[in-house]
Amino acid sequence: MEDIIEIRSHAKRNVIVTTLIGLLLLCVSVIMLVTMPKTIYLVGIFLLSASIIAFLIAWVKYREPQFSFLLSKSSICYQHKNGKWVLPWDNIQRVDVPHVSSGLERKSLHMVAIKVKDYAPLLENISPRLMSNILMEQRPLLFHNMPSANSENCSSGSCYSDELLEDDIYKDAQGKIYKGITAMFANRMTKLRQRLGYDLYIPVSELDRSEHEFVTLLKQCQQQVIYPTN
């Protein structure tokens, strides 16, 4: 295994190309607004608006970290514009592509999922901003395997809204109590583990390869770290 394996997300790509497209659209729109007849004035406005959108997209891409993942011999580090989390290899129980049942079929979620052995090391090194971002982004996952509105525990149907909320107090297996956003994040991981079998979920947009290839890479890295060969 290399000392550091760097993974660049799709979101970081094409910053320069997007900026150049914005500049081109801006130049064309200015020329049209200044020199062309008023009959095509709206076209110039449209191109000007498109150039602004291109600049905004380029700015969002630029703000993303250079690498979304750093795989070292000690841990896997996920980097986001809102913070990062670090997970030692020996604290990973399982890595795979999650699936959900849809009728008689099982469909891939096109994500990479990680099952964590102990929440404590993760909760102690993840930033509150990143936890808030993950809680918002992963809300759609809660709609998989939700309790039926016709079940005895959900006769009113209110369970659908209740399931989107997390308690702000969490007690781990060692008896340590977490509060606030950290507790909500831990409770969300617990809920997703019950539903889908994993705690952390990584969208394929954060990767430079397919979810299956990234899962294979993580398994190989973990295998080499935990069971090194001479």
Side-chain angles (χ1 to χ4, degrees), residues 88-99:
W89 291 110
D90 59 4
N91 196 25
I92 296 177
Q93 182 172 338
R94 185 182 177 190
V95 179
D96 212 333
V97 176
H99 292 77

Side-chain angles (χ1 to χ4, degrees), residues 42-43 73 75-76 95-96 99 148 155 176 188 201 203 211:
L42 290 179
V43 178
K73 293 183 178 180
S75 63
I76 171 175
V95 179
D96 212 333
H99 292 77
S148 172
S155 57
K176 184 174 181 179
R188 171 65 60 81
Y201 297 81
E211 62 270 30

Side-chain angles (χ1 to χ4, degrees), residues 5-227:
I5 298 177
E6 300 168 330
I7 305 296
R8 188 189 300 269
S9 72
H10 284 292
K12 186 66 176 179
R13 295 182 175 181
N14 302 322
V15 177
I16 296 178
V17 173
T18 306
T19 303
L20 292 176
I21 291 174
L23 286 172
L24 177 62
L25 291 174
L26 178 61
C27 293
V28 173
S29 65
V30 170
I31 292 173
M32 293 183 67
L33 292 173
V34 173
T35 64
M36 297 296 182
K38 291 185 178 181
T39 53
I40 58 173
Y41 186 80
L42 290 179
V43 178
I45 294 296
F46 174 79
L47 293 178
L48 180 61
S49 300
S51 70
I52 294 174
I53 294 174
F55 285 132
L56 289 175
I57 294 174
W59 172 244
V60 171
K61 287 177 175 289
Y62 177 76
R63 290 184 62 224
E64 294 290 338
Q66 183 176 5
F67 300 105
S68 57
F69 281 92
L70 298 175
L71 311 181
S72 69
K73 293 183 178 180
S74 61
S75 63
I76 171 175
C77 175
Y78 170 60
Q79 299 186 124
H80 189 272
K81 62 184 178 183
N82 292 320
K84 68 179 182 179
W85 55 253
V86 179
L87 197 61
W89 291 110
D90 59 4
N91 196 25
I92 296 177
Q93 182 172 338
R94 185 182 177 190
V95 179
D96 212 333
V97 176
H99 292 77
V100 294
S101 298
S102 177
L104 299 177
E105 299 180 356
R106 284 180 58 82
K107 296 184 177 180
S108 169
L109 290 181
H110 302 293
M111 307 179 83
V112 173
I114 300 176
K115 187 174 184 180
V116 181
K117 294 180 181 178
D118 183 8
Y119 285 178
L122 176 64
L123 296 176
E124 291 169 3
N125 68 56
I126 184 172
S127 68
R129 287 183 62 196
L130 180 55
M131 286 189 286
S132 298
N133 185 82
I134 293 175
L135 286 171
M136 293 298 296
E137 286 188 346
Q138 295 187 351
R139 289 184 72 178
L141 292 176
L142 296 174
F143 290 97
H144 297 293
N145 301 326
M146 286 189 70
S148 172
N150 297 321
S151 68
E152 295 180 359
N153 296 327
C154 192
S155 57
S156 66
S158 63
C159 60
Y160 286 102
S161 59
D162 293 342
E163 285 294 314
L164 299 178
L165 303 176
E166 308 299 340
D167 293 335
D168 60 357
I169 296 179
Y170 173 78
K171 184 177 182 180
D172 66 13
Q174 288 71 41
K176 184 174 181 179
I177 296 178
Y178 297 87
K179 297 182 179 181
I181 190 67
T182 304
M184 295 174 67
F185 183 72
N187 284 317
R188 171 65 60 81
M189 288 195 296
T190 301
K191 185 180 294 183
L192 290 177
R193 176 184 288 197
Q194 294 171 349
R195 300 274 182 83
L196 304 174
Y198 302 90
D199 306 296
L200 296 173
Y201 297 81
I202 303 161
V204 71
S205 60
E206 296 288 339
L207 310 176
D208 59 1
R209 64 200 71 195
S210 72
E211 62 270 30
H212 296 283
E213 291 174 328
F214 191 63
V215 165
T216 300
L217 175 62
L218 292 183
K219 289 181 177 180
Q220 291 174 346
C221 291
Q222 185 181 34
Q223 182 74 15
Q224 292 181 34
V225 169
I226 298 178
Y227 305 105

